[in-house]
Each structure stands twice: as structure tokens, then as C-alpha cells.
Amino acid sequence: MNDYSTTASEISRQENIERILDCAERVFKHYGYSKTNVADIAKELSMSPANIYRFFASKADIHQALARRMLAAQYDALAESAGREASAADRLRAHTLLQHRLVMETMLDEQKVHEMVLVAMDQQWPVIEEHLARVRGIIEDIIKDGIEAGEFRQQDARLAAECYMHAGVCLCHPQLVAKTAAPDDVITAEALIEFAIQALR
């Protein structure tokens, strides 16, 4: 009976957390992160700020949880793409183009979302670093597969993954993407990816 009560309590707590995060995301997108406070989120949910503080210590904590959730969704999409049946080069192309598209769609389509991303990069860097490490792992695994299949030359896969990420940083870093998203850019995403892949051969 106690185990059941504990499980039910945990489920209820998680449901409340998700409800708060869903609402916070909507409010942040509508008003902007800097113009929103916990009281605004509580009002939208028809609850007291004290109730929200039962689950999150501050607005920054809510934002951190949102950043983790957004990056986790991005990681899941990237991991699924990387697991498909294809050559290592094709998987790297698909991975990087998908990451670029996700940054464009999720983070840059709306100015208010862009503000949330900038705040995350400034105040929640450990969350970003954790995500980058996981993405690096995906790339490293693809490169290892390419080395084993003879597609890529023998090399340190971890170092190669780090170099590949640095080569394509302007396609995946929100601030850089925002500055280089002009339609008349000479260097396309496809050309840059191809250049980086050639370095692995």
C-alpha cells in the first residue's frame, strides 16, 4: 500500500512539474523570458506562486528544466536519425542537417524563443555542455563505424568527432546561426558538411 501511495505521489508530482513547464514555456514565448516572473506563470495556472515554489526554487530553475527538456527532445531526434541504416558519411550529413534544421526551427523562428536560448547559454551552460557531450558521442560512434567500414581513414574517433563539431559550429550554434542565416550566403550547409566529411577520409 505504501509503495502504491509513493508511486502515485511521484506520478502526481511529475504531472505538476510538466504542467508548470508547459505553461512556463508558453508564457516565456509570449511575453519573453526577461519580462516574465513566477507570479505570471502561477496566474496562468490559476495557482499561487508558493505552489510553484514547491517544485522549483526560482524562475532560473524553471528555465533550466525547460532547457533540459528542449535539448533532450533534440538529442532523441538526433539519436534516432543516427541509428538508421546508411553509410557513415550519409549518417553524418543527415545528423548535421537535422541539427541545423532543429536550431533554425526550434530556437530561431521566434525572437522570444531565441531570448530563452541566449539565457540558457549564459546562465545554464552546464546543461548545454552536457547536451554537447551527448551529441559528441553520437558523432563519435558514427565516425567509428566509418573507420571500421573503411569509409574513413584510421584516426582517433573522439578527436575526429571534436574536430567535426568545431568545423560545423556555425550550423549548430544558435548565435552563429542567427548571424549567418542570410539566404545569399556563399557557403551552404551542405557544402560545409561535405568539406568536414572529406577531412575524415
Side-chain angles (χ1 to χ4, degrees), residues 55-106:
F55 303 96
F56 296 99
S58 64
K59 183 176 84 166
D61 276 0
I62 295 173
H63 183 260
Q64 183 182 77
L66 279 175
R68 284 189 186 282
R69 189 169 75 167
M70 179 176 67
L71 293 174
Q74 186 182 115
Y75 174 83
D76 288 344
L78 293 171
E80 182 179 353
S81 172
R84 70 190 182 92
E85 290 292 330
S87 68
D90 283 347
R91 286 159 63 203
L92 274 180
R93 287 189 193 95
H95 167 91
T96 314
L97 285 172
L98 175 59
Q99 192 170 18
H100 180 58
R101 179 171 64 80
L102 289 171
V103 169
M104 293 288 287
E105 291 178 356
T106 308

Side-chain angles (χ1 to χ4, degrees), residues 103-119:
V103 169
M104 293 288 287
E105 291 178 356
T106 308
M107 302 181 181
L108 300 182
D109 275 358
E110 299 178 54
Q111 188 59 38
K112 300 290 194 309
V113 178
H114 189 209
E115 180 195 6
M116 288 170 60
V117 174
L118 295 182
V119 171

